[in-house]
Amino acid sequence: MKGQIAKGVVALSIFIFLLSKVSCDRDLHFCGIWRHGQRPPSLSFDILRGCGQISIAADESSLNVRGQIAAQCQRSGTHRLDRQTLGEDGETHFCLYWEPLQDQLKLQVGERNFTLCWPSGMPDDCCTYLSYGSNAPEAAYGIADGMIENDITTRKTLTAYTFNGSAVQCATFCPKRSRGDAQVSMTDQTAVEPLCALSSELELKDDFRGIDINSSHVKGMTPEPTIHLPPALKRAAKNNSRVVYTFFKNNSMFQVDHEDVRVLDDVVEISVENQVIQNLAEPIRIGFHHDAIPKAHSRKCVSWDTRKDPMKVNWSVEGCKTHQRGAKHTECLCDHLTYFTVLVQLEPRPVRHLLALTAISSLGCIVSFISGIALIVFLCRSTHTNNRRAKDPATPIHLGLAVSLTFLHLLFFFTGVLANVGGQDLCVMIGAGLHYALLSTFSWMGIQVFHTFWMVYMVFRPSPSLCVWNLLGFVLPAVPIVILVAVGDIYGLRQVASTEDVGNPYLMCWMKLNPKSLLAQHLTNSTMLAALVSAGLLMLFLVYREIRTRDEWRKNQVAFLSIWGLSCLYGTTWALAFLEFGPFSNFITFLSCILNSFQGFLLMLRFFMLEWMRKHAVRIKESPAKACHMPTSPSTISQEPLEPLCSSS
């Protein structure tokens, strides 16, 4: 008898344990592996009001979410899924999140987040305690490794999972929540669960003159947001006089997909029922109190952009102005009603005037590419038709620089297009190619510096052969690229955020934003650029010291052309990248963008001007013997970079 009782107790304990695993959670967190085929994938959903059941089903080409669990949300539709979102092996991880206290339903497929029901103020009834229903049939395509919270339900591949809900008064979970008009303080927040959104209504009477809405400041806690509604809201609301405002806190579903930005814990929703309010004559003011944000991390007031895909998190700065009232206080002035918060930019900071800089770079790259082709043709023809240039050892070096720089401008021009068309896989190759072109350009610029040094101070020794230059300029830069590709997770799709629209970043193929890529960038680009700029500036100083005592130095156009031409050759314009800070950062950014994107054009212009001045000087000479007296001292530098000084003497 005792043995039977003991077995009964054990069985009852196991039953209670299993029951608790499937029916004791207030919300729902279900994950699994979607096994699909190669057909175009899609997501369909149909969410109804009420409290019944919700099911998530999958087959070869579609993922379906249907159910009756929402208090206020009622939506349906079909969304085409990007093939890049899904796993290449036919298996894609997904998760379904349901939060009844905010009537919020979210689906994550791969790295994409889809919001099926947006959060709202706490409803009266919550569809909660969702329990796992009966098993669906097995199939080759469907949902494998179904998991509730962190517990595996089955390893089999099923066609669907169903969960049954129970209607419970939401006040059961938020007993200290208070509702009322704006004059009622929201007290005792220490006992309120974070997901219990504080929601209130305000009646806009005929004599409405604006109002300040303040939630209570609990000692020892971060103060809640404050709202100021202007008189202009009453005129814009017309016949509807009821305003609803809701304070959300610690809601992860408001977070964006980008790893380099995050929103504050506080989100405020302000709305007028069944009416879109925008272009207010006087903005509403929302004050956010938060932990101290360092100056290195920019912050922007953002609002929910309803004009874009409503299933994605779209925060936009349009219609809002940001006033930073200190490290712990940000005030937002917005001319419309929707969701509001503060978007904090992690490293790197967003780029100002990104659209203008992109337009300048694109124009400069295409002009430089055409100029580079013209310069390559000019140098190739010069080596065959001009005996003097054919003997000049600097011409192959100029040709190598022109080839690498032209290739760099070509790849940079197309990197944005290829990032949007080809996706992650193509961006690995394009990013590696762009990095190689940049290192090759830096290498040839360094060779220019070394060759000039050789011509000035080692006149009586022959310079290294062309094979050595090609090895240093074309082969050596490929070594770190091959190593970085072998390491992996270095190159790929790069998102560049803009201060004008943080939620809509510019895509390009480059090095990713992760610790390995940042380390690789510092070891290759930053180190090589610092060495190149230092050597280039030193060589410019040496050139200036050689020519400043000459009579030709007084001829401004010749002197300027010499120094300016050498600046292009030695890459000193890239030194502006180290000066993009302080009050003149915008000016330096635009100057650096113009000079470096048009560098191919400037280089071509330099050579064509030198050729024109040389021919012009020869024509005006009375005698060929007076054309140029070449010294035999180390100042023989006039063969190449100082040729115009000699030609016009």
Side-chain angles (χ1 to χ4, degrees), residues 611-629:
E611 184 68 14
W612 177 82
M613 292 178 67
R614 186 184 65 82
K615 292 181 178 179
H616 180 71
V618 170
R619 284 197 301 268
I620 64 174
K621 296 302 178 180
E622 297 179 354
S623 171
K626 298 180 181 180
C628 180
H629 174 68

Side-chain angles (χ1 to χ4, degrees), residues 204-485:
L204 300 179
K205 299 180 181 180
D206 293 336
D207 59 346
F208 180 73
R209 293 294 180 266
I211 193 171
D212 293 320
I213 302 172
N214 299 294
S215 38
S216 64
H217 292 179
V218 181
K219 186 176 181 180
M221 296 181 62
T222 302
E224 296 294 325
T226 60
I227 301 174
H228 171 75
L229 300 179
L233 181 59
K234 172 62 178 176
R235 297 189 295 270
K238 298 179 181 178
N239 297 329
N240 199 330
S241 59
R242 191 178 66 155
V243 176
V244 179
Y245 56 91
T246 306
F247 296 91
F248 299 95
K249 198 171 188 67
N250 297 330
N251 192 325
S252 61
M253 297 191 185
F254 281 116
Q255 294 293 340
V256 296
D257 296 335
H258 315 302
E259 297 179 355
D260 54 339
V261 294
R262 70 173 181 86
V263 300
L264 292 181
D265 294 335
D266 293 308
V267 177
V268 176
E269 179 196 13
I270 308 175
S271 63
V272 173
E273 189 175 15
N274 299 324
Q275 190 171 347
V276 176
I277 303 295
Q278 56 187 2
N279 300 323
L280 290 172
E282 183 181 354
I284 61 172
R285 295 200 305 267
I286 308 171
F288 290 96
H289 301 270
H290 43 73
D291 295 333
I293 299 176
K295 292 184 178 181
H297 301 271
S298 66
R299 43 184 152 138
K300 287 287 183 180
C301 293
V302 292
S303 64
W304 181 251
D305 190 350
T306 57
R307 297 170 301 177
K308 297 184 179 179
D309 187 355
M311 296 179 62
K312 293 180 59 180
V313 178
N314 293 306
W315 293 111
S316 174
V317 298
E318 187 175 350
C320 288
K321 294 182 180 180
T322 305
H323 288 177
Q324 299 183 11
R325 305 298 187 186
K328 296 184 177 182
H329 184 199
T330 304
E331 186 180 49
C332 301
L333 280 68
C334 303
D335 63 359
H336 57 287
L337 300 186
T338 180
Y339 296 90
F340 302 97
T341 188
V342 176
L343 194 67
V344 181
Q345 179 75 31
L346 308 179
E347 293 296 337
R349 301 184 66 177
V351 179
R352 296 180 180 180
H353 314 294
L354 180 60
L355 183 61
L357 292 173
T358 303
I360 294 173
S361 298
S362 300
L363 177 62
C365 285
I366 192 63
V367 171
S368 292
F369 173 74
I370 297 174
S371 302
I373 296 297
L375 180 58
I376 292 172
V377 173
F378 170 76
L379 292 175
C380 290
R381 292 183 60 184
S382 297
T383 57
H384 292 88
T385 60
N386 192 319
N387 292 331
R388 183 171 174 270
R389 278 210 177 269
K391 297 178 182 179
D392 187 357
T395 301
I397 299 176
H398 300 329
L399 187 60
L401 175 59
V403 170
S404 61
L405 193 59
T406 302
F407 183 52
L408 174 64
H409 287 302
L410 176 65
L411 284 182
F412 194 85
F413 178 77
F414 284 107
T415 180
V417 177
L418 296 175
N420 286 278
V421 175
Q424 189 68 244
D425 295 334
L426 181 61
C427 269
V428 173
M429 296 185 295
I430 299 300
L434 185 61
H435 194 198
Y436 166 76
L438 181 65
L439 295 184
S440 178
T441 301
F442 286 168
S443 297
W444 281 109
M445 288 179 176
I447 292 172
Q448 288 280 175
V449 174
F450 180 78
H451 181 262
T452 303
F453 172 81
W454 192 284
M455 295 294 294
V456 173
Y457 294 100
M458 306 182 73
V459 180
F460 302 106
R461 296 184 183 181
S463 62
S465 64
L466 178 60
C467 181
V468 175
W469 298 141
N470 289 331
L471 185 66
L472 295 175
F474 289 128
V475 179
L476 186 60
V479 175
I481 305 300
V482 173
I483 296 175
L484 293 178
V485 171

Side-chain angles (χ1 to χ4, degrees), residues 99-117:
E99 177 46 63
L101 292 180
Q102 297 183 3
D103 208 34
Q104 186 175 14
L105 184 64
K106 172 185 171 182
L107 178 66
Q108 181 180 3
V109 182
E111 297 181 355
R112 284 284 307 274
N113 292 321
F114 300 94
T115 302
L116 307 183
C117 287

Side-chain angles (χ1 to χ4, degrees), residues 534-600:
S534 300
L537 291 175
L538 176 61
M539 187 53 59
L540 283 178
F541 171 74
L542 295 177
V543 170
Y544 168 74
R545 193 177 67 174
E546 283 291 322
I547 67 175
R548 64 188 176 89
T549 57
R550 299 187 184 183
D551 294 335
E552 293 89 342
W553 177 254
R554 299 182 180 87
K555 299 179 181 179
N556 293 332
Q557 60 172 359
V558 177
F560 174 77
L561 185 61
S562 298
I563 298 297
W564 167 72
L566 289 174
S567 298
C568 293
L569 293 179
Y570 299 154
T572 49
T573 55
W574 293 88
L576 295 173
F578 297 109
L579 303 177
E580 295 179 358
F581 60 88
F584 300 103
S585 59
N586 287 338
F587 172 76
I588 296 297
T589 300
F590 274 94
L591 182 62
S592 175
C593 179
I594 294 172
L595 291 179
N596 291 322
S597 59
F598 283 90
Q599 194 168 44

